Amino acid sequence: MCTRTTNSGGGDTIQADGGETGRRWRDRQTVEIPYRQTVERQADGGETGRRWRDRQTVEPVTMSEAAVEEISALSSIYCGEREFLLLQQSAQDGLVVQINRTIGGDRGLDISLLFQLHPRYPSCPPDISVSSTGLSRTQCSNIRQRLLDHAGALPPEPMVHQLVECLQHCVEVTEDCRGGQEEVQGREKEEVFTAVLLLDHIRSQNRYIGLLKRWTQQLQLTGRLLHGRSILVILQGGRPNIKEFCRLLKTVKVDVDSSGKKCKERMMKVLIETTLSSSCGNGLQGFVVKNYQSLPELTAAFQEINMTMLYQQIQPSLSD
């Protein structure tokens, strides 16, 4: 027969009837802690009690050998101060690497590339982020998309270095596109455009006309409101400002509907948009409201501002 007793140190022993100590009990316990770490505790019974020994093991980041070798090579290639940074290592998310480059020679455009290498990399391409204080958010987004497209076209093998080398070309293409857009925008700002808008209705005249006058002042536009059977707004100014005026008409509650509820000018139409030189006009001053009762009066209103040819172009739209 055996009996189980607890000694003063908390250890358990088994003692036979003859008083001799039998076998010692050993307890083994595993405890889960965050970040995939496992602590294994082992207790050894002894004469004075129980002694604990703790052993901690951390699960390593599982990445392919090719990816690990690439990281090592990148740290050697981009060895300047803060040129290469290993920001994160995670068994679940993989590796996050930041590479900072200066592009553009004398201009010195600083660009930061962030590569997230998933545990399955290079079987799947990396995710990429692009940031730069010298580029707009749209330009950074365009460069990122070009790099992602290039990564998707590459074979499933280490590619970070190739993508960094491709950065120069992506920046040049983006800069060329930006230059072309700025040139077009510059011409549009320099040229004076004339647009004729057809409105659906004006019920709350004080509010509606007050907004039209305010917007033309804010957007540096000039114009005429010809109020009659057809409600026409003639605008002159920069093309981007005319577009903004049209956007405001369709997004701001400028009038009221037949039930008296505030509404937007969703039915507005742009009948024509052309440069000032081809519209035969000499330029408008301010924003003038003119009421007309008949078609001859409308014709005379266009003749008064030297836009007879423009009126002839829009006349078919008014008779619809």
Side-chain angles (χ1 to χ4, degrees):
M1 178 178 179
C2 297
T3 60
R4 178 171 180 168
T5 62
T6 303
N7 59 28
S8 60
D12 297 334
T13 65
I14 291 188
Q15 198 171 42
D17 290 341
E20 295 180 358
T21 302
R23 64 183 179 276
R24 293 192 299 271
W25 290 81
R26 307 183 70 186
D27 299 332
R28 192 176 185 87
Q29 180 179 357
T30 301
V31 182
E32 291 291 332
I33 67 174
Y35 304 111
R36 298 180 176 269
Q37 296 177 344
T38 301
V39 173
E40 184 180 284
R41 291 182 173 179
Q42 179 173 303
D44 292 339
E47 294 180 356
T48 59
R50 180 177 297 172
R51 296 190 307 272
W52 290 94
R53 293 185 312 188
D54 296 345
R55 188 177 68 210
Q56 176 174 303
T57 58
V58 181
E59 182 179 332
V61 177
T62 304
M63 297 291 293
S64 68
E65 183 179 351
V68 174
E69 290 179 353
E70 182 183 26
I71 295 300
S72 177
L74 290 172
S75 65
S76 299
I77 296 172
Y78 305 106
C79 56
E81 184 178 359
R82 299 189 63 81
E83 196 173 18
F84 175 88
L85 298 171
L86 179 58
L87 301 181
Q88 179 180 325
Q89 301 181 62
S90 167
Q92 182 177 1
D93 301 324
L95 304 173
V96 177
V97 174
Q98 179 177 328
I99 296 178
N100 301 310
R101 300 290 289 158
T102 300
I103 303 296
D106 295 337
R107 180 183 175 185
L109 183 62
D110 295 327
I111 300 180
S112 178
L113 299 177
L114 208 65
F115 297 94
Q116 181 175 355
L117 310 181
H118 302 280
R120 293 185 294 111
Y121 174 84
S123 298
C124 64
D127 193 12
I128 306 171
S129 296
V130 179
S131 60
S132 173
T133 56
L135 296 173
S136 66
R137 183 178 300 179
T138 300
Q139 288 176 300
C140 289
S141 178
N142 291 340
I143 293 172
R144 174 181 180 270
Q145 189 57 54
R146 292 180 186 279
L147 290 174
L148 288 173
D149 293 342
H150 187 62
L154 294 174
E157 57 189 31
M159 62 181 70
V160 172
H161 181 58
Q162 294 185 58
L163 295 175
V164 176
E165 292 295 301
C166 181
L167 176 63
Q168 175 78 41
H169 173 69
C170 293
V171 171
E172 290 175 354
V173 172
T174 302
E175 287 286 280
D176 290 343
C177 292
R178 178 189 180 189
Q181 291 174 352
E182 289 180 345
E183 184 179 352
V184 171
Q185 291 174 355
R187 287 200 305 267
E188 289 182 349
K189 287 181 179 180
E190 291 174 1
E191 290 181 320
V192 177
F193 279 75
T194 300
V196 180
L197 316 181
L198 176 64
L199 305 185
D200 185 49
H201 55 73
I202 295 182
R203 294 189 177 93
S204 179
Q205 292 195 23
N206 290 338
R207 172 180 171 79
Y208 204 142
I209 296 174
L211 286 173
L212 296 181
K213 289 181 176 179
R214 185 194 309 172
W215 292 343
T216 53
Q217 291 175 356
Q218 292 174 345
L219 297 171
Q220 298 180 345
L221 298 172
T222 57
R224 292 285 188 277
L225 171 62
L226 304 179
H227 193 193
R229 180 179 178 182
S230 296
I231 307 173
L232 302 176
V233 176
I234 305 172
L235 294 174
Q236 282 188 344
R239 192 178 188 188
N241 294 349
I242 292 176
K243 289 183 177 180
E244 176 63 15
F245 186 97
C246 295
R247 186 193 69 81
L248 290 170
L249 272 178
K250 291 191 174 184
T251 56
V252 175
K253 292 181 179 180
V254 293
D255 202 6
V256 294
D257 59 19
S258 56
S259 63
K261 186 178 179 180
K262 291 182 179 180
C263 63
K264 304 171 185 177
E265 184 58 86
R266 291 194 175 95
M267 301 298 290
M268 182 272 295
K269 296 180 182 178
V270 179
L271 300 182
I272 193 170
E273 185 182 59
T274 183
T275 56
L276 177 60
S277 58
S278 63
S279 66
C280 301
N282 296 324
L284 303 176
Q285 299 294 324
F287 188 83
V288 178
V289 179
K290 186 177 182 64
N291 296 314
Y292 70 94
Q293 301 295 328
S294 63
L295 190 60
E297 288 184 13
L298 177 60
T299 305
F302 275 90
Q303 290 175 344
E304 182 182 342
I305 54 178
N306 299 316
M307 293 187 181
T308 303
M309 185 179 296
L310 188 68
Y311 175 66
Q312 292 173 350
Q313 291 177 280
I314 66 171
Q315 196 170 11
S317 302
L318 301 180
S319 59
D320 291 343

